[in-house]
Amino acid sequence: FIRFYWRKNTMRTLCLSLVLAACVSLSWAGGVVVETIPVAGTSGWKVSNDRLSFVVLSVGATIHSLSVPDRTGKLNDVVLGFADAEDYKKQGPYFGAIVGRVANRMSTGKFEIDGKQYQVSLNDGQNSLHGGVEGFDKKTWTVEEASDGVVLTLESKDGQEGYPGNVKIRAHYSLKGATLTVKMTAKTDAPTPVSLAQHTYFNLAGHASGSVLGAKLRVEATGYMPVDSSSIPTRQVVPLSEHPHMDFSDTHSVGDKMNDMAKKRGLDVVYDPETCTIKKHLVTGEGEEAAKGPGGAASGAPLGFDHNYVLKKPSLFLRLLAALSRGFLRPVRKVATVTDPTSGTQMQVMSDAPGVQLYTGNFLNGERGKGGVIYEQHGGLCLETQTFPDSVGADPASDIGKGATAILQPGQTYRHVVMYKFGTVDSDK
């Protein structure tokens, strides 16, 4: 009897332990399901849990779709994208992609390493944008499934687009609760600049809902970098207190601030909050130079935000942890919050990057997207966490020195983390 009782209870204990272990394992993975699905004329990797889901494509390591619940529980796909995967290679909005080898603009496409000058490909007038003619957004990445998402890898060969060194890039897309995390790393066998950015266009009301000008935005920044008529930064950092029309340190609607920007530049623009559209776009006669300014009627650049914001520094504690871990632990802090008043959907962006490029889809011009939706100007909003644009080789003591794109050396690892946390707010927020 004693032996039978012991065996029975041992088996019961063993079974209970296995059940508990399974529960702990499920909890640790967050109940994440990873599956391959047919999408956009190709195969995609769908990552989902009971909170949200997203689909990644191998071309460009692209976030093709991202479904999150609004305040009523309805799921909305909140990112812009093409219906056909081939369009990501052919067209240039960079929908959902990881861009590089150097994100954002590089004036004349030139930089210097150890006294040697390099010329990379030009694809934005006389400048290089997001890595050149065939940047990482046009490449086909290798995809592997992970317990919490997918891992994508890419090798950029020495000389591609004019950049030196063979660079191996890794991007880990993971899902935990209502947070999508993207961890990017890179290693090289020769000195080279590396600065990666995730270039998803968000419209929290749904990708087919039209303009984002009604969205409420807050950016945790202290300054921004003005740009010239070709959107190249002046390499100066201006305190937001000096240019209130650029200031999102308190929450404002994007459209209201765009009105302030336009008036500052000599334009008479009337933003209609009911339709979230720009009703008029006329020069007021306040001066020819104002009209030629960035975004002005004579500048050739469409109206809107396309600027790097200089973010508040991480806390001393986070910086100390990063230093003690030799960079393995990243000083991630909140950098921006976007809220759509109609759906109640809110997104918090967190990152370890020194800057974030606010881009309001100024160059969108009738691209045909998923479901045949036409994406018009200001149909999406990007918050591209990054090192500062056009900063390769910047003087460390200059305004942009501490946020500049560093030269990655052999034996070093480039790291960049960005996180998107979703939730909802009440209608009166």
Side-chain angles (χ1 to χ4, degrees):
F1 174 81
I2 294 174
R3 183 180 299 173
F4 173 78
Y5 181 82
W6 182 84
R7 286 179 178 174
K8 181 178 180 181
N9 279 274
T10 300
M11 290 300 295
R12 182 182 298 170
T13 302
L14 179 60
C15 290
L16 181 59
S17 298
L18 290 173
V19 170
L20 287 173
C23 291
V24 169
S25 177
L26 180 62
S27 173
W28 180 257
V32 174
V33 176
V34 184
E35 54 189 324
T36 305
I37 63 170
V39 62
T42 185
S43 293
W45 284 261
K46 181 179 180 180
V47 182
S48 60
N49 62 11
D50 60 351
R51 305 289 292 278
L52 54 87
S53 67
F54 64 92
V55 174
V56 173
L57 303 180
S58 59
V59 55
T62 295
I63 298 177
H64 173 72
S65 66
L66 173 57
S67 297
V68 303
D70 64 14
R71 69 163 66 94
T72 69
K74 176 187 174 184
L75 288 175
N76 293 314
D77 180 0
V78 297
V79 301
L80 278 58
F82 290 117
D84 190 328
E86 286 300 311
D87 287 334
Y88 289 104
K89 296 181 180 180
K90 297 175 183 177
Q91 301 191 44
Y94 307 96
F95 286 151
I98 288 180
V99 295
R101 184 175 301 192
V102 173
N104 215 307
R105 291 177 174 86
M106 184 187 300
S107 177
T108 70
K110 295 179 181 179
F111 60 88
E112 188 176 291
I113 300 178
D114 298 331
K116 182 178 179 180
Q117 189 173 88
Y118 293 87
Q119 174 69 64
V120 299
S121 63
L122 306 179
N123 61 331
D124 184 48
Q126 294 302 305
N127 308 310
S128 182
L129 175 63
H130 294 323
V133 175
E134 193 174 324
F136 294 171
D137 62 297
K138 303 293 191 299
K139 301 294 187 181
T140 299
W141 297 52
T142 300
V143 186
E144 293 183 5
E145 296 184 6
S147 62
D148 59 354
V150 290
V151 174
L152 299 99
T153 55
L154 178 71
E155 184 167 350
S156 177
K157 298 291 187 180
D158 177 45
Q160 283 186 352
E161 302 303 312
Y163 286 95
N166 296 292
V167 178
K168 293 182 178 180
I169 305 99
R170 184 179 189 270
H172 181 188
Y173 289 79
S174 63
L175 182 59
K176 183 176 182 181
T179 302
L180 164 60
T181 299
V182 185
K183 294 181 180 179
M184 294 164 271
T185 61
K187 294 184 178 182
T188 183
D189 63 1
T192 188
V194 176
S195 176
L196 308 179
Q198 222 300 329
H199 204 288
T200 291
Y201 290 68
F202 294 96
N203 188 328
L204 298 186
H207 79 100
S209 64
S211 173
V212 296
L213 298 184
K216 307 290 186 180
L217 174 64
R218 176 186 173 99
V219 180
E220 306 296 332
T222 57
Y224 83 104
M225 295 173 64
V227 296
D228 65 18
S229 59
S230 59
S231 297
I232 293 293
T234 62
R235 292 199 167 197
Q236 296 173 314
V237 175
V238 176
L240 292 173
S241 58
E242 295 183 11
H243 286 179
H245 61 291
M246 300 294 297
D247 190 359
F248 284 96
S249 57
D250 290 322
T251 303
H252 297 278
S253 79
V254 175
D256 285 343
K257 280 295 180 181
M258 200 174 290
N259 260 0
D260 293 343
M261 170 196 280
K263 292 173 182 176
K264 181 74 174 178
R265 293 174 178 172
L267 300 174
D268 179 18
V269 174
V270 178
Y271 162 67
D272 184 353
E274 292 187 4
T275 61
C276 295
T277 57
I278 298 292
K279 295 176 65 176
K280 289 192 293 184
H281 185 180
L282 303 171
V283 178
T284 62
E286 293 181 17
E288 182 180 354
E289 291 305 311
K292 289 182 179 179
S299 71
L303 181 69
F305 293 91
D306 194 4
H307 299 80
N308 178 63
Y309 280 76
V310 177
L311 297 168
K312 296 176 182 177
K313 292 181 180 179
S315 67
L316 179 60
F317 175 71
L318 289 176
R319 283 181 280 158
L320 181 61
L321 280 180
L324 291 174
S325 68
R326 296 185 178 181
F328 183 77
L329 296 176
R330 307 305 298 163
V332 174
R333 78 291 195 202
K334 183 167 67 175
V335 301
T337 304
V338 188
T339 307
D340 175 64
T342 57
S343 66
T345 303
Q346 184 175 84
M347 178 180 73
Q348 293 183 12
V349 182
M350 295 160 282
S351 182
D352 58 348
V356 61
Q357 185 86 1
L358 169 60
Y359 175 55
T360 49
N362 314 329
F363 289 95
L364 292 178
N365 188 28
E367 286 82 357
R368 183 176 295 274
K370 295 175 290 188
V373 174
I374 303 299
Y375 299 134
E376 301 290 358
Q377 188 182 42
H378 311 313
L381 178 150
C382 302
L383 288 161
E384 308 157 52
T385 56
Q386 59 179 12
T387 55
F388 296 167
D390 196 33
S391 64
V392 178
D395 182 352
S398 68
D399 277 1
I400 64 172
K402 292 184 179 180
T405 298
I407 301 299
L408 184 66
Q409 301 289 341
Q412 296 179 338
T413 300
Y414 164 91
R415 302 180 191 275
H416 177 195
V417 179
V418 59
M419 305 171 70
Y420 308 101
K421 182 178 181 181
F422 295 90
T424 58
V425 297
D426 296 334
S427 59
D428 59 346
K429 297 294 185 182

